[in-house]
Amino acid sequence: FMILCIFQARIGSKRIKNKILKKIYGKTILEHQLLRFARSKMITKLVVATTKNKNDDVTEKIASDLGYDVFRGDATNVLKRYIDCAKLYNTKTIVRACGDDPLIDIEIIDQMIRIQKKNNYDFVSNVVNRTFPLGLDSTILKTEILNKIPTLTKDQYHYENVVTYL
């Protein structure tokens, strides 16, 4: 079955302006991240999920130029962006990845996907009981679980942060 990585990225970072566009060795942070994800042995498809805001046209261009699909959705309701993207790609399993984590380790994600598949878990994360430093956060979950979150909470914090309710 398909393992869809939904990679959320946007220009509108409040802490570091235009963070994903900052360059390291001639490439944007976004390019480095997407090239790193291309090395995954477990992810079937990666989609960059960005906002419908005009300033994210550049996010779409970078991802498209590297050959990735782009899904554009709600700027503040990131949970809805994930749900809509997962529905469009008709996937049962999602890897959540963030542009806020420029040093993410794809081998950790592949290992977590293997654990999820082998045990058919609904949710696998190294965030609940932090086992890795900040910036290496990874979450794999079933789409059916993601789809339940809006029926379980109306707290906007969970709509911005996708899996914090879980």
Side-chain angles (χ1 to χ4, degrees):
F1 59 92
M2 176 170 58
I3 304 289
L4 177 69
C5 179
I6 300 177
F7 186 90
Q8 69 186 68
R10 64 186 171 91
I11 297 301
S13 174
K14 290 179 179 82
R15 290 172 289 196
I16 302 174
K17 190 170 173 59
N18 299 327
K19 176 171 45 178
I20 63 171
L21 300 181
K22 301 289 185 204
K23 291 202 173 186
I24 301 171
Y25 291 109
K27 289 186 180 129
T28 65
I29 288 175
L30 179 59
E31 288 173 286
H32 282 288
Q33 289 173 298
L34 295 176
L35 292 169
R36 187 175 303 123
F37 273 87
R39 296 193 313 250
S40 171
K41 293 173 178 53
M42 301 299 295
I43 294 170
T44 313
K45 182 157 194 73
L46 184 142
V47 175
V48 175
T50 193
T51 75
K52 292 179 181 177
N53 294 346
K54 183 83 175 132
N55 63 350
D56 274 311
D57 289 353
V58 66
T59 306
E60 180 173 10
K61 179 161 179 23
I62 291 168
S64 295
D65 286 352
L66 289 173
Y68 291 101
D69 288 1
V70 176
F71 178 86
R72 299 197 64 171
D74 195 285
T76 56
N77 188 341
V78 186
L79 177 60
K80 180 175 178 9
R81 198 183 323 156
Y82 268 77
I83 290 170
D84 292 347
C85 183
K87 184 177 182 180
L88 179 67
Y89 285 90
N90 194 30
T91 186
K92 294 189 182 335
T93 305
I94 298 167
V95 175
R96 178 175 181 256
C98 298
D100 284 347
D101 298 330
L103 302 176
I104 196 117
D105 185 335
I106 199 62
E107 290 183 27
I108 293 170
I109 292 174
D110 279 354
Q111 181 181 3
M112 290 173 63
I113 294 168
R114 284 187 201 94
I115 291 167
Q116 188 276 334
K117 282 178 78 168
K118 178 180 177 189
N119 298 287
N120 196 30
Y121 290 139
D122 291 339
F123 176 78
V124 175
S125 179
N126 65 358
V127 178
V128 178
N129 295 314
R130 192 160 293 285
T131 53
F132 293 93
L134 280 172
L136 298 177
D137 301 352
S138 302
T139 303
I140 292 85
L141 69 154
K142 290 183 178 176
T143 305
E144 67 182 273
I145 300 304
L146 183 76
N147 290 336
K148 288 181 183 179
I149 297 171
T151 67
L152 300 171
T153 183
K154 297 301 175 208
D155 185 337
Q156 289 306 304
Y157 179 80
H158 301 302
Y159 287 69
E160 287 178 38
N161 296 287
V162 184
V163 295
T164 51
Y165 182 82
L166 299 175

